[in-house]
Amino acid sequence: MGEKIVLLDEAGHAIGTAPKAESHHQTTPFHLAFSSYLVDASGRVLISQRAHHKASFPSVWTNSACGHPAPGESLREAVARRVKSELGLTVSDITLVLPEFVYRAEMNGVVEHEWCPVVRASVDAEPLLDRDEVEDIQWRDWEGVKALREDPLASPWFLDQMVHLVKLGKPLTWKQADEKLLPPAIAW
């Protein structure tokens, strides 16, 4: 049956589901997603390059892992599942950072239109990449992550998120945001 995305109204209420693979196109419906920034004990952040053959936003450099919560799945469960499948990592200390992040972006005729809460999570191992999803990774200090904003291959959602994240200081100091600001369609 394939992975399903949760469709949203403008207020963030679930209004149905749709197959993920068939939903990303020129008129992609507004839906639920998430972005994660994985940090190690020294504060380095894992950034990833999306696989070259991906249908949506191939080859762009971005945050650690992105995904779509399944219907009925909490945000923390979705982050743990996706990070494990894409990067082979187990997360801990998941912190909600930007609960209200919404964006729309287009590349090669594919549109993303998502309510995409942003989280930080801790990891303490080296990634094992799923090559269907991830082309490459880099561990960077915060200055190196900020420098990615100048890369023409930086993802549009990463660039939009960084506008907010740089105001919060270094990733290890990011505070837990109010979970009540998440869209009603997902539990923390």
Side-chain angles (χ1 to χ4, degrees):
M1 210 153 121
E3 189 177 345
K4 296 232 182 236
I5 60 172
V6 177
L7 304 178
L8 303 175
D9 65 15
E10 290 302 315
H13 296 94
I15 57 171
T17 63
K20 176 187 162 189
E22 299 159 21
S23 296
H24 291 79
H25 44 66
Q26 285 230 306
T27 56
T28 299
F30 189 46
H31 62 278
L32 187 58
F34 70 85
S35 288
S36 65
Y37 288 77
L38 304 179
V39 296
D40 67 9
S42 69
R44 294 183 310 161
V45 178
L46 184 70
I47 62 167
S48 62
Q49 183 182 35
R50 291 168 62 89
H52 296 321
H53 61 272
K54 284 187 73 73
S56 62
F57 295 83
S59 306
V60 299
W61 283 94
T62 195
N63 53 285
S64 307
C66 300
H68 299 88
E73 187 176 40
S74 75
L75 181 55
R76 285 182 284 209
E77 291 167 340
V79 170
R81 173 183 53 82
R82 193 66 181 172
V83 169
K84 186 71 164 171
S85 70
E86 277 192 23
L87 299 166
L89 294 169
T90 300
V91 296
S92 62
D93 188 29
I94 301 174
T95 302
L96 179 63
V97 181
L98 300 175
E100 299 177 285
F101 181 75
V102 174
Y103 79 99
R104 187 177 188 286
E106 183 173 351
M107 179 183 189
N108 301 329
V110 175
V111 173
E112 282 289 10
H113 189 202
E114 299 177 337
W115 189 319
C116 183
V118 177
V119 303
R120 178 203 63 215
S122 298
V123 294
D124 63 2
E126 284 302 312
L128 179 61
L129 309 184
D130 175 351
R131 294 295 182 178
D132 288 335
E133 299 291 335
V134 182
E135 192 68 35
D136 198 6
I137 56 155
Q138 294 177 2
W139 284 104
R140 291 190 179 194
D141 64 18
W142 188 231
E143 291 305 313
V145 174
K146 292 192 297 187
L148 182 60
R149 295 178 293 177
E150 304 304 319
D151 190 317
L153 285 179
S155 76
W157 61 89
F158 168 83
L159 295 173
D160 289 350
Q161 290 166 6
M162 288 299 289
V163 169
H164 306 285
L165 294 174
V166 295
K167 297 173 187 174
L168 301 179
K170 293 184 177 182
L172 289 179
T173 67
W174 295 348
K175 303 278 188 244
Q176 172 75 21
D178 186 349
E179 64 190 64
K180 289 184 233 145
L181 298 174
L182 284 169
I186 192 161
W188 172 229

